[in-house]
């Protein structure tokens, strides 16, 4: 089998890989020096589109429209861009073995790739209900959403089961975004999740009450406090019903499951230090193995602002960590240094005509401000998290770009707060005047 050698290899062809390629091109990379190896069939794209505009009934996003780096306002990098720069895109190629000692990657078809410097950017995979042995979880028309192939299968099913019934399992990001988009596709939608409110890892009860009310207004049914324990299927093996732990049975033509992700670190088990489920790095995304970097969803890195090791599964960090790693690689080749990564967490979501942003850390006391009545014609509200007398986190629904910048700023500088009552009264004005 053929063996190829590259100075730099990015393993994974997702968001981080695309932004790494752009940074390599900016910093100067010679033709033939850099390869991206991906099991996907397409060049890096902005993954967040898959749970939003990719599934719209009309005017849906399609490649090449959302290749990186359009998601952050940059120039789009279609496959031709990589060809022009002499960056090799090795697609449809799953790496099944990584030997960090000999700097060799081996693909499923037996091809070998040698590197001088490796950037691990394998991202996450979905947690499956079959992982917990849920009965009937392998029935047809039960979908997960991670890669473009998954989204294509869902699009086909949406067409085949027109105006049918959809059950969405999970109350996190996928649960909320997919319930909305299935409703927009005119499905009868029921969401099921075990917690007392949606998106519990970020939302307070007050924030969640708005989204639950808004979704109900749009006709999405919500069943909380229980889980799917089994699925019935018809003679074709297609799902027909979802059985819940509390005894209820829901009819279903399509089921979408979003019960969390798991970072893809298994190729490197025992070869590289791990922490908190990810590959441990420093503030330059260097692992403990020389010449091996890890970025995006798989990296557990020092979050300088909170003096803690963290892993972040969001697109903004995937982009920025990739850029930081490439800058660090290039700087070290030139005997220079760069500043350590100093990340302010930034998460966002969009569904229906809603759009929220969150910056910082969701710990401490909280205040809710603004109009969070789901029945309002133009609801607009937010929340602050306050710890040790300082704002550490801020959330805003329906903010303007300037208002979003203002909440980012208070979370970054950790503005001191004298009175929670005053903060509640001032609301967004507090952030805008800083
Ligand atoms: P990413 O998952 O993008 O890429 C990993 C790549 O590695 C894939 O191409 C994969 O095929 C490849 N790979 C893995 N193992 C391999 C192997 N052994 N051999 C070859 N290739 C391999 N975030 C956010 O902030 N806002 C949002 O709105 C959304 N929306 C959203 C929607 C959906 C449907 C998903 C799944 C995720 C989001 N996210 C998000 C999260 C965000 O997309 C995610 O954090 C980044 O894509 C992470 O970028 P990475 O490059 O680390 O992994
Ligand atoms: P998540 O962690 O956001 O949510 C998982 C949810 O699964 C939990 O909130 C819980 O409600 C539910 N759950 C857990 N076990 C369950 C069970 N047995 N039955 C029913 N529900 C159960 O994960 P996700 O929504 O699956 O998202 C997957 C990945 O994609 C994450 O990395 C996420 O960050 C990313 N993503 C991000 C965005 C965004 O940032 N806007 C959008 C989509 C996906």
């Amino acid at each position: 089998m053929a063996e190829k050698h590259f100075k730099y290899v990015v393993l994974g062809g997702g968001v981080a890989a695309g932004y790494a390629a752009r940074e390599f091109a900016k910093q100067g990379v010679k033709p033939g020096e850099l390869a991206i190896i991906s099991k996907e069939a397409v060049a890096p794209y902005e993954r967040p589109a898959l749970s939003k505009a990719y599934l719209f009934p009309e005017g849906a996003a399609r490649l090449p429209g959302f290749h990186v780096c359009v998601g952050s306002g940059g120039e789009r990098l279609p496959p031709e861009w990589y060809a022009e720069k002499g960056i090799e895109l090795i697609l449809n190629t799953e790496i099944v073995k990584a030997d960090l000692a000999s700097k060799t990657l081996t693909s499923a078809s037996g091809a070998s790739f040698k590197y001088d410097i490796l950037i691990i950017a394998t991202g996450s995979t979905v947690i499956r209900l079959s992982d917990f042995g849920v009965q009937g979880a392998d029935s047809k028309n039960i979908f997960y959403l991670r890669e473009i192939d998954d989204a294509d299968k869902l699009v086909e099913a949406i067409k085949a089961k027109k105006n049918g019934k959809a059950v969405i399992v999970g109350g996190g990001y996928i649960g909320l975004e997919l319930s909305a988009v299935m409703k927009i596709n005119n499905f009868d939608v029921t969401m099921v999740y075990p917690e007392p409110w949606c998106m519990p890892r970020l939302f307070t009860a007050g924030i969640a009450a708005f989204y639950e009310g808004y979704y109900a207004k749009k006709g999405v049914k919500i069943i909380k406090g229980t889980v799917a324990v089994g699925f019935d299927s018809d003679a074709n093996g297609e799902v027909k019903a979802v059985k819940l732990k509390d005894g209820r049975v829901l009819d279903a033509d399509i089921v979408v499951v979003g019960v969390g992700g798991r970072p893809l670190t298994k190729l490197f088990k025992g070869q590289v230090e791990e922490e908190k489920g990810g590959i441990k790095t420093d503030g330059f995304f260097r692992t403990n193995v020389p010449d091996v970097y890890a970025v995006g969803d798989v990296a557990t890195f020092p979050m300088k602002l909170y003096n803690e090791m963290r892993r972040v599964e969001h697109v903004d960090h995937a982009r920025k960590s990739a850029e930081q790693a490439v800058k660090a690689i290039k700087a070290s080749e030139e005997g220079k240094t760069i500043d350590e990564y100093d990340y302010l967490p930034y998460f966002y979501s969009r569904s229906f005509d809603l759009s929220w942003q969150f910056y910082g850390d969701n710990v401490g006391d909280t205040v809710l401000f603004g109009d969070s009545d789901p029945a309002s014609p133009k609801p607009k509200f937010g929340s602050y998290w306050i710890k040790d007398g300082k704002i550490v986190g801020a959330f805003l629904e329906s903010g303007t770009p300037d208002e979003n910048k203002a909440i980012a700023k208070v979370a970054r500088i950790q503005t001191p707060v004298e009175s929670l009552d005053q903060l509640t009264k001032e609301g967004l004005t507090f952030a805008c005047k800083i």
Side-chain angles (χ1 to χ4, degrees):
M1 264 289 178
E3 185 179 278
K4 283 192 164 187
H5 174 266
F6 297 94
K7 186 169 182 188
Y8 313 107
V9 166
V10 180
L11 174 51
V15 172
Y19 281 76
R22 181 176 70 172
E23 191 59 37
F24 268 118
K26 252 190 218 165
Q27 301 267 336
V29 73
K30 295 195 191 88
E33 279 188 339
L34 170 63
I36 291 176
I37 305 177
S38 177
K39 67 178 163 64
E40 290 192 84
V42 296
Y45 56 88
E46 300 286 359
R47 195 167 305 286
L50 296 185
S51 52
K52 305 174 188 70
Y54 201 81
L55 302 175
F56 284 176
E58 275 156 39
R62 284 292 175 272
L63 291 177
F66 63 101
H67 279 301
V68 295
C69 297
V70 287
S72 54
E75 186 200 338
R76 187 158 53 89
L77 310 185
E80 307 81 81
W81 179 87
Y82 298 85
E84 274 161 28
K85 302 278 178 217
I87 297 171
E88 200 156 335
L89 269 183
I90 303 171
L91 303 176
N92 290 307
T93 301
E94 183 176 9
I95 295 300
V96 292
K97 189 169 172 240
D99 182 3
L100 300 184
S102 66
K103 297 188 161 187
T104 311
L105 306 175
T106 310
S107 77
S109 63
S112 284
F113 303 95
K114 292 244 177 200
Y115 59 81
D116 297 336
I117 294 180
L118 175 67
I119 302 182
I120 301 170
T122 41
S124 301
T125 188
V126 295
I127 295 174
R128 293 179 174 268
L129 291 178
S130 46
D131 298 345
F132 321 123
V134 173
Q135 171 260 322
D138 290 329
S139 305
K140 291 180 192 153
N141 294 334
I142 299 181
F143 297 99
Y144 296 83
L145 193 58
R146 183 76 211 175
E147 298 188 345
I148 201 157
D149 283 357
D150 304 320
D152 286 336
K153 286 181 204 145
L154 180 56
V155 167
E156 283 311 305
I158 289 172
K159 283 187 202 143
K161 301 289 174 187
K162 215 169 176 340
N163 305 333
K165 287 186 160 58
V167 173
I168 313 297
V169 178
Y173 285 97
I174 293 283
L176 283 164
E177 293 182 6
L178 265 293
S179 297
V181 88
M182 292 303 283
K183 192 73 213 170
I184 293 168
N185 278 283
N186 207 32
F187 273 70
D188 177 271
V189 179
T190 306
M191 259 180 108
V192 182
Y193 47 88
E195 296 94 349
W197 66 78
C198 63
M199 192 78 82
R201 69 173 162 142
L202 176 63
F203 289 178
T204 61
I207 295 176
F210 168 78
Y211 293 98
E212 291 176 359
Y214 195 92
Y215 274 50
K217 203 177 86 173
K218 292 280 184 188
V220 174
K221 285 163 263 180
I222 298 179
I223 299 179
K224 308 189 227 182
T226 190
V227 293
V229 289
F231 299 92
D232 287 338
S233 52
D234 64 13
N236 298 324
E238 293 189 351
V239 71
K240 278 290 139 217
V242 183
K243 293 183 273 187
L244 304 184
K245 197 173 184 184
D246 69 5
R248 277 184 271 189
V249 178
L250 308 172
D251 291 341
D253 300 301
I254 290 181
V255 174
V256 184
V257 182
V259 294
R262 183 181 293 139
L264 277 170
T265 58
K266 72 171 189 290
L267 281 173
F268 311 99
K269 281 267 175 273
Q271 302 186 66
V272 65
E273 227 177 290
E274 292 191 37
E275 192 170 331
K276 296 185 174 169
I279 297 173
K280 186 179 173 186
T281 75
D282 63 11
F284 307 97
F285 296 98
R286 293 182 297 212
T287 70
N288 70 315
V289 178
D291 301 326
V292 178
Y293 293 69
V295 296
D297 280 14
V298 293
T300 302
F301 62 95
M303 183 90 78
K304 206 174 163 190
L305 194 56
Y306 308 127
N307 197 21
E308 203 178 272
M309 295 296 285
R310 296 231 185 140
R311 204 170 61 72
V312 173
E313 289 179 2
H314 290 274
V315 75
D316 178 61
H317 161 71
R319 295 168 178 154
K320 290 179 173 154
S321 58
E323 288 167 357
Q324 171 76 355
V326 175
K327 282 181 186 147
I329 289 167
K330 285 295 191 176
S332 79
E333 286 173 354
E334 291 160 17
K336 295 184 188 151
T337 53
I338 59 165
D339 289 339
E340 246 183 289
Y341 196 56
D342 185 8
Y343 188 63
L344 173 70
Y346 163 44
F347 314 145
Y348 72 90
S349 182
R350 290 192 296 272
S351 58
F352 295 118
D353 46 359
L354 302 172
S355 171
W356 60 257
Q357 301 204 354
F358 167 83
Y359 295 89
D361 212 9
N362 58 321
V363 292
D365 296 325
T366 59
V367 300
L368 187 68
F369 61 81
D371 177 3
S372 60
D373 180 353
S376 288
K378 266 194 169 293
K380 179 166 181 165
F381 71 97
S383 204
Y384 294 114
W385 281 257
I386 303 101
K387 198 178 152 212
D388 302 330
K390 290 181 287 188
I391 293 187
V392 291
F395 175 99
L396 185 60
E397 167 58 53
S398 298
T400 65
D402 281 347
E403 290 164 348
N404 287 327
K405 258 189 219 152
I407 62 157
K409 192 171 171 193
V410 287
R412 161 62 79 180
I413 62 178
Q414 305 197 336
T415 312
V417 171
E418 272 161 28
S419 136
L420 294 192
D421 286 345
Q422 186 63 20
L423 189 60
T424 313
K425 261 187 231 136
E426 285 192 27
L428 186 55
T429 315
F430 180 90
C432 290
K433 70 182 188 202
I434 300 297

